[in-house]
Amino acid sequence: SSSADALLRAARERERGHSMSRAAAAGGGGSESLPPSVRLVDGFVTEAEEAALLEGAWARRGWRRVAGRRALAMGGTPSPNGFVGESLPRFLRTLCERVSEEAQQVGGTDALGGLRINHVLANAYAPGEGILPHKDGPCYAPCAAIVSLGAGEATMDFVPIPPGGGTAVRGNERAGCDGGRNDGRDTAGARAEQEIGCTEARAALASPPPAFSVRLPRRSLLVFSGAAYLSMMHGVRACDGPGVRVSLTLRHARGKTERDAPKWAPRLGAR
């Protein structure tokens, strides 16, 4: 809606003195510096912006129940020939622009390599729901950004890829995408995951312990690329608070062509 877009556009005029958290919560206690390829920005969106984003997301058709959560793909879906692109909803435009700018500051490099966000996956986690460690597929540029909305906090674990790659990694490389848990028992859920572009094989039960973990406060932004994206799996622990937590995962889908990309989206560096 125009009101939602106006709320988000106002963020570009406010003071950009975000308080950046540079700590990773390890096992619920203690902290350590995050790797250079991981950036956490606390308070990235305001309460009003959060409300506008949630309103826009919940109003969209296409929410599907997948294993471990509900999900909604915006910006296109994968096919055997690559991504079938579509324009992102209007209420996401300013957010995608801001996140693309933040990606320039990860590890002292432009994590998106001159590209811009063109795909958003919304995940809704009820209490007790999460997503197993997995590795995103090759249809995305090697950078992911997560905006956390709604109730409570979550913890994201970064897990070393086990010898042989692990079933989650191999499954994603075949599917080309990321997503929920598909252990072969929930065929309807597996089909839904494929249709929204988030298919993943079940992570190996004997996955190594996390190399590091990051608490994701409400209204925060997490961006990770480089080794954290390419050499590790990532997963979200079961949410432990009341209410529904909604995450927006923002990425660049490689298969979408210039004609698929919304004309409003500037290349990084444009103002």
Side-chain angles (χ1 to χ4, degrees), residues 88 96 99-100 112 115-120 250-252 265:
L88 284 165
C96 289
V99 171
S100 294
L112 280 171
L115 302 172
R116 69 272 196 178
I117 301 296
N118 64 5
H119 188 268
V120 178
L250 301 92
R251 289 170 293 198
H252 176 87

Side-chain angles (χ1 to χ4, degrees), residues 109-192:
T109 63
D110 177 1
L112 280 171
L115 302 172
R116 69 272 196 178
I117 301 296
N118 64 5
H119 188 268
V120 178
L121 180 67
N123 292 302
Y125 299 95
E129 293 182 335
I131 182 170
L132 290 170
H134 63 280
K135 188 174 185 295
D136 297 355
C139 62
Y140 298 111
C143 176
I146 298 173
V147 176
S148 297
L149 309 171
E153 294 187 354
T155 298
M156 173 168 281
D157 293 325
F158 287 82
V159 180
I161 297 175
T167 57
V169 176
R170 293 195 299 273
N172 286 350
E173 287 176 347
R174 288 194 299 269
C177 303
D178 74 312
R181 188 173 55 208
N182 172 17
D183 56 13
R185 294 193 295 269
D186 182 6
T187 55
R191 286 195 299 271

